[in-house]
Amino acid sequence: MTPRAATALVFALALTSRLPWLAPTEQDLDGSRFVRALLRFDLAQGHPHPPGYPLFVALGRVAQSLVHDPARALSLVSALSFATVCAITFALSFAATRSRLAAAVAALSFASGTTAAVHSTRPLSDMLGCALAWSTVALSLRPATPRTPWWQGALTGMLAGARPSALPLVAPDLVRLAWRRRALRHAMFAAATVALALYLPVVIATGPARFVALAIDHVSGHFTRFGGSVVTRPDLAERLRAMAFGLQAHALGGWWNDRPWWLLPGSLATWPMLAWGASQLPRTRRWKPIALAALTYGAWAFFGQNVVWQPRHLLPLAPALSLLLSLAVPSLRARGRRVTWAVLLVALAPPSAESLRLLAAQHRVTPAAIALARALPRQHALVATAQLGTWLRWRASTETVVDVRDVDEALALARRTHRRVCVTSEVSGAASRGLTRVAHATGDRYVSPALWDLSLWCTSAP
């Protein structure tokens, strides 16, 4: 089998493995915004939030013509993107090691990581952004032709329309083009043309002035109010702990103190392989562009992204870790077939089993916020929330939902309006004011790292 045929086979197997687990509903707040964007695109109303992610929404509309459900349509886009990343990881590993076994290990390692598994069928743009970013990186490693800068630019423009926060992964490739000014001009022209073609309909539909205002407010909010960057969460020790947790438990799907014990042997086998793979980097052909891309994105994720509450922002680093792991396979094979298969079984079987469990849980279990929304109509109360406002207004459209900063503001609202107030548990202090808990919903922390355990606390009826 030729390398190209093997890569196509990896794509087909990866896609087939995800089709039974397409998400039947949105799984988080941003997912609810994307689902509503397929029903009615309205940037001003937050579906989706700025800048609009036009490529992801457009692909979702195409997929919706096949599956006739917005959540499953977006889930299908993520599944196709996941299969693309698996194929790219396989191809890059094979190019570096000339070993189909090592390449298969790279693809399987990526697929079995918690973040990759969960987002392989999640109605979010993260996996599409990962696929486009790594497609750009892979293209930059191929022998250059006159068309290469144009394709690099086009992929970068598509990435801007699918997942702008993943752009730092491809930034080093564009910087390298600066030494070839003509190539850089071609790449930047292609990127600008594609991005403009994607965003122009959004700007027209929203209105230029309104679009600019919404985009500026969202970008400034990301860094100063709600985005979880180093500005809003400045404790570097906290960020380091979160980064370690995200890489170990999510990107690699490894053991943590709240995970099953049987994941520990896999982690004990994985980290020595990663260390050995790192020692092989100086001998690995064309490893520097990949390492530079991963380091650049890692710095951006650490300082600019919400790594404290959303480990999914580390997803673009997962293929790099899988490639590093695969570099240890040729050395393992030199120690004999039995040693090789024993180590690989211990390293890959536990996270693979856990990834299947998480896929099933995401497919089967109702997200906590939706469960609360289904409990709301029976309360006939004013609903106060800190983060779930847009989601609850959609899922419980008959209720009055207000956004508050803390529980004291919610209680003041109850006194002023003489209405019963129900407060969602993510509101600061919700469980400490003598309110009655009337509903509780929980999920899996590794399916939904944020807002996976929610309660509804209510005042007594007036």
Side-chain angles (χ1 to χ4, degrees):
M1 183 180 294
T2 66
R4 183 171 295 182
T7 301
L9 178 61
V10 168
F11 175 90
L13 291 174
L15 177 59
T16 303
S17 72
R18 280 352 188 215
L19 292 180
W21 308 110
L22 296 183
T25 186
E26 73 276 8
Q27 300 293 315
D28 50 29
L29 178 57
D30 284 347
S32 75
R33 297 177 187 274
F34 282 123
V35 170
R36 280 178 290 158
L38 292 196
L39 298 174
R40 180 174 175 269
F41 190 96
D42 190 338
L43 208 64
Q45 295 298 318
H47 39 95
H49 66 64
Y53 306 88
L55 180 59
F56 183 56
V57 174
L59 292 175
R61 290 192 184 280
V62 173
Q64 192 176 8
S65 66
L66 301 175
V67 298
H68 309 294
D69 177 83
R72 290 182 187 272
L74 295 172
S75 182
L76 178 59
V77 174
S78 291
L80 288 164
S81 303
F82 164 78
T84 301
V85 180
C86 287
I88 291 171
T89 306
F90 177 91
L92 289 176
S93 177
F94 182 79
T97 63
R98 311 311 298 177
S99 166
R100 286 198 178 97
L101 177 61
V105 166
L108 183 58
S109 172
F110 171 75
S112 62
T114 295
T115 301
V118 168
H119 287 83
S120 64
T121 58
R122 208 172 186 98
L124 286 177
S125 65
D126 296 68
M127 191 60 75
L128 176 60
C130 186
L132 289 169
W134 277 96
S135 295
T136 308
V137 172
L139 182 64
S140 72
L141 297 175
R142 295 172 61 87
T145 69
R147 295 182 180 181
T148 299
W150 294 97
W151 281 110
Q152 285 180 270
L155 286 169
T156 302
M158 287 189 279
L159 180 57
R163 186 71 181 166
S165 63
L167 284 169
L169 190 75
V170 305
D173 291 328
L174 296 179
V175 170
R176 284 201 302 275
L177 290 178
W179 299 104
R180 298 159 52 207
R181 293 186 179 180
R182 184 176 180 182
L184 179 62
R185 287 198 303 269
H186 291 170
M188 297 305 292
F189 178 80
T193 301
V194 171
L196 180 62
L198 290 170
Y199 277 103
L200 188 59
V202 179
V203 173
I204 293 174
T206 309
R210 184 63 171 153
F211 176 83
V212 171
L214 289 169
I216 291 175
D217 180 71
H218 183 77
V219 171
S220 64
H222 174 88
F223 290 104
T224 62
R225 299 193 306 275
F226 54 78
S229 71
V230 73
V231 178
T232 56
R233 308 287 300 200
D235 187 336
L236 295 184
E238 177 189 42
R239 300 187 75 83
L240 281 171
R241 288 192 298 270
M243 193 83 166
F245 167 68
L247 291 173
Q248 163 65 9
H250 283 265
L252 291 171
W255 179 83
W256 204 255
N257 58 9
D258 62 346
R259 302 199 85 171
W261 66 267
W262 46 265
L263 288 173
L264 181 57
S267 296
L268 293 177
T270 296
W271 281 102
M273 289 182 66
L274 287 172
W276 185 254
S279 72
Q280 303 304 302
L281 282 177
R283 306 177 195 145
T284 302
R285 182 172 173 265
R286 305 195 74 178
W287 64 271
K288 289 183 179 180
I290 293 177
L292 186 58
L295 289 173
T296 301
Y297 183 84
W300 156 245
F302 180 78
F303 290 106
Q305 293 284 70
N306 185 5
V307 293
V308 176
W309 298 111
Q310 294 286 3
R312 65 187 175 92
H313 293 298
L314 300 179
L315 174 62
L317 293 178
L321 293 174
S322 298
L323 290 171
L324 198 62
L325 189 75
S326 72
L327 294 182
V329 174
S331 297
L332 272 179
R333 295 187 69 180
R335 285 161 173 77
R337 180 177 298 180
R338 291 183 179 179
V339 171
T340 300
W341 287 108
V343 172
L344 293 181
L345 182 66
V346 172
L348 297 177
S352 296
E354 177 68 356
S355 70
L356 289 175
R357 185 190 71 81
L358 295 173
L359 277 170
Q362 181 170 257
H363 179 78
R364 182 183 67 252
V365 179
T366 301
I370 295 181
L372 282 193
R374 291 172 179 172
L376 290 178
R378 296 193 296 272
Q379 306 303 326
H380 301 292
L382 199 64
V383 181
T385 183
Q387 301 179 47
L388 302 173
T390 58
W391 198 356
L392 294 180
R393 290 186 190 99
W394 176 46
R395 281 294 180 175
S397 57
T398 60
E399 302 299 309
T400 303
V401 181
V402 295
D403 300 309
V404 297
R405 292 184 297 272
D406 53 40
V407 70
D408 292 328
E409 184 178 349
L411 294 177
L413 189 62
R415 291 191 295 269
R416 187 166 64 251
T417 61
H418 303 289
R419 292 182 64 179
R420 188 184 192 196
V421 172
C422 290
V423 185
T424 54
S425 56
E426 93 286 359
V427 174
S428 177
S432 63
R433 291 294 190 274
L435 305 181
T436 301
R437 189 167 76 169
V438 299
H440 177 236
T442 187
D444 191 302
R445 180 190 180 194
Y446 289 91
V447 173
S448 301
L451 304 175
W452 63 278
D453 191 323
L454 293 171
S455 297
L456 194 65
W457 300 85
C458 295
T459 61
S460 58

